[in-house]
Amino acid sequence: MAVNDREFHLKELDPVLMKDWEIAEKAEDFLKPVKVLAMELGLTEDEIIPHGKYIAKVDFAGVLARLKDRPNGKYIDVTAITPTPLGEGKSTTTMGLVQGLGKLGKKVTGAIRQPSSGPTFNIKGSAAGGGLSQCLPLSPFSLGLTGDIDAVTNSHNLAMVALQARLQHEANNTDEFLSSRHLTRLDIDPSRVEMKWAMDFCAQSLREIIMGIGGKTDGYRMPSGFGISVSSEVMAILSVFTSLSDLRERMGKIIVAYRKNDEPVTTADLEVDGAMTALLLRAVNPNLLQTIEGQPVFVHAGPFANIAIGQSSIVADRLALKLADYHVTESGFGADIGFEKFWNIKCRLSGLKPDCAVIVVTARALKMHGGGPKVTPGTPLDPAYTTPNTKLVEKGCQNMLAHIQTVKTAGINPVVCINHFAADTHEEIDIIRRTAEQAGARVAVSHHWAKGGDGATELAEAVTDACNEPNNFHFLYPENMPLKKRIETIARKVYGANGVSYTPIAMEKLARIESMGDTQFMPTCMVKTHLSLSHDPALKGRPSGFTLPIRDILTYMGAGLVVPVAGDIKLMPGTSSDPNFRRIDIDTQTGKVKGLF
């Protein structure tokens, strides 16, 4: 289909009158076939593995080898202020910015994470964007895509199968019997099992379970539970690996449990790491999709940001930076979480240097941070959020200022994107713009939800200007900073805490990690609520004077991360009383999915 024809059809789409899935359904009638998309991007036919007409996996290793001498394009991260529970349109802005750069004639790509079925069927919905700024095709994107998360789930659970089988056989058999099977007794401490099972749904009833109920042949009876698949260390590995050999090495380092003599039991000790890697093999190549306006988007990995690293994969970004002049990647939640991990983990491990960071801001979120009524998904917004209230916006700008300061602390040029909602007034927008500019940020008002790329050209121009200005990118902490000081540095300089406290178990683990040599110097991946700069979701705005409580510290040796857990965070979210699955269905005449957003 010609460009003019596509633009003509886009004008028929009205996000005010149409739901996201209705827009996607009509827009999918004029998508570019993935072979055309790949050709325009500069990929060869043997570098793509089609999955139907509009989706393909891309042989990242082959492309990187072919283009190793090509300079990287400009690297842009999209982050946000502390959101309301409804989200502030960060994925929508990412797609809008890609489309806006396309309108400026730039060769541009995007990268986002694959959505988990948990939020897709629960409250948040898919992560495809919305309105006229979406990643398509929507149904495959939202409902499993090419099976990457399934591969992560199966790989993770195979480690648990190996663990429970080993516990059973060591409990039931003598050393002589084990030796006849070429096994040595690992003497695993069942009270110190680090892993649980994985499932890609929000299933609160499975957080804590007892497994092995029955007789001696029914496994080893012990407490266990489930975490959501995107919190798995295997998913974190998919996000940070850089080559197939790196992936294979990392898969053997995952700590599953500890022996009674305190030594770790790894997936390599269980001799399951090779099979786990084999299950994950089909997920290593990034997926190629497109925006509603036909720009390429890589979708790869899907870790949450509040309980994991919150980034799409390093290999997707490396791939895109060789193919495009501008590459827009997204980090989960606000700059205190996703951007901090992009900055100090992803860029450290990848060696990539960002040129600009976009901070998505909404008047709605600023009103909440300024003292507005509680925002609850599934219930109508209070009139404070749909009628003018400059006082709430002005007070709430303190939260935006904290995120601007975080980006500036990294030495990156910040661009504040005011994601425009219909209820926003000129007075409210002017307050946000003035406050952000006084803090040293470029500011753009973007109408991408309503107008697609045409509504994002102001944002795209601000981003290109920021990318063309030199920056002083540097990490928050050096690699050799001790773990305890590193946690305190993040707490004070990013969250605004006065200090850090530790539970006895966290102190015990801190001492153990600090005695493990280089382990303590692995990048630090904080686990914290996304609904506040602090550990407490009730503390809005820019809280100060609080102490960050560390209740546990996890060690992800395969991903190469130390994971301090601040506050009460669940690795398995719960399903709400009004989940999205109540509205998702199929049209039996066309076979198309409806109700996704």
Side-chain angles (χ1 to χ4, degrees), residues 325-527:
D325 296 327
Y326 289 83
H327 175 56
V328 183
T329 195
E330 178 194 359
S331 297
F333 297 123
D336 56 320
I337 300 181
F339 173 78
E340 189 276 310
K341 295 171 183 178
F342 169 81
W343 166 21
N344 293 300
I345 302 176
K346 188 175 187 180
C347 290
R348 194 188 299 270
L349 296 177
S350 69
L352 299 172
K353 176 185 173 183
D355 296 284
C356 167
V358 175
I359 305 170
V360 179
V361 174
T362 64
R364 177 179 70 187
L366 293 180
K367 289 178 180 180
M368 179 189 72
H369 289 296
K374 185 177 181 180
V375 177
T376 303
T379 62
L381 281 171
D382 188 278
Y385 298 104
T386 55
T387 56
N389 196 317
T390 55
K391 288 184 179 180
L392 287 180
V393 170
E394 189 162 16
K395 187 177 178 183
C397 279
Q398 287 300 313
N399 183 270
M400 176 183 69
L401 291 173
H403 292 289
I404 291 173
Q405 183 57 49
T406 294
V407 171
K408 293 183 72 176
T409 299
I412 302 175
N413 302 319
V415 174
V416 167
C417 169
I418 303 173
N419 184 15
H420 189 271
F421 286 20
D424 298 346
T425 67
H426 291 298
E427 292 77 12
E428 291 169 338
I429 296 298
D430 287 345
I431 289 170
I432 301 169
R433 182 187 291 275
R434 182 176 65 252
T435 305
E437 288 178 342
Q438 288 173 351
R442 288 177 171 82
V443 182
V445 180
S446 193
H447 300 265
H448 47 271
W449 180 86
K451 300 179 181 180
D454 286 333
T457 53
E458 181 185 337
L459 173 61
E461 288 169 350
V463 165
T464 56
D465 286 346
C467 286
N468 289 329
E469 184 177 281
N471 67 37
N472 183 33
F473 177 71
H474 56 276
F475 298 117
L476 180 64
Y477 50 82
E479 286 186 355
N480 61 354
M481 179 181 282
L483 177 59
K484 189 173 183 181
K485 187 175 181 182
R486 184 181 300 201
I487 294 170
E488 183 170 327
T489 298
I490 296 171
R492 289 181 182 274
K493 293 191 176 182
V494 179
Y495 307 156
N498 274 6
V500 179
S501 65
Y502 296 86
T503 63
I505 190 169
M507 280 299 296
E508 178 185 330
K509 290 188 176 183
L510 178 66
R512 184 189 308 137
I513 291 168
E514 290 186 331
S515 70
M516 292 170 67
D518 291 343
T519 299
Q520 68 164 315
F521 302 129
M522 295 191 306
T524 304
C525 184
M526 301 291 286
V527 175

Side-chain angles (χ1 to χ4, degrees), residues 2 36 64 136 149 163 276 286 300 372 395 397 407 425 468:
V36 173
L64 290 178
L136 301 178
I149 293 181
L163 172 71
M276 290 174 66
H300 200 216
K395 187 177 178 183
C397 279
V407 171
T425 67
N468 289 329

Side-chain angles (χ1 to χ4, degrees), residues 188 256 262 338:
I188 301 166
V256 181
D262 281 347

Side-chain angles (χ1 to χ4, degrees), residues 313-333:
S313 72
I314 285 174
V315 296
D317 282 355
R318 281 185 168 174
L319 176 66
L321 286 166
K322 292 298 183 185
L323 293 165
D325 296 327
Y326 289 83
H327 175 56
V328 183
T329 195
E330 178 194 359
S331 297
F333 297 123

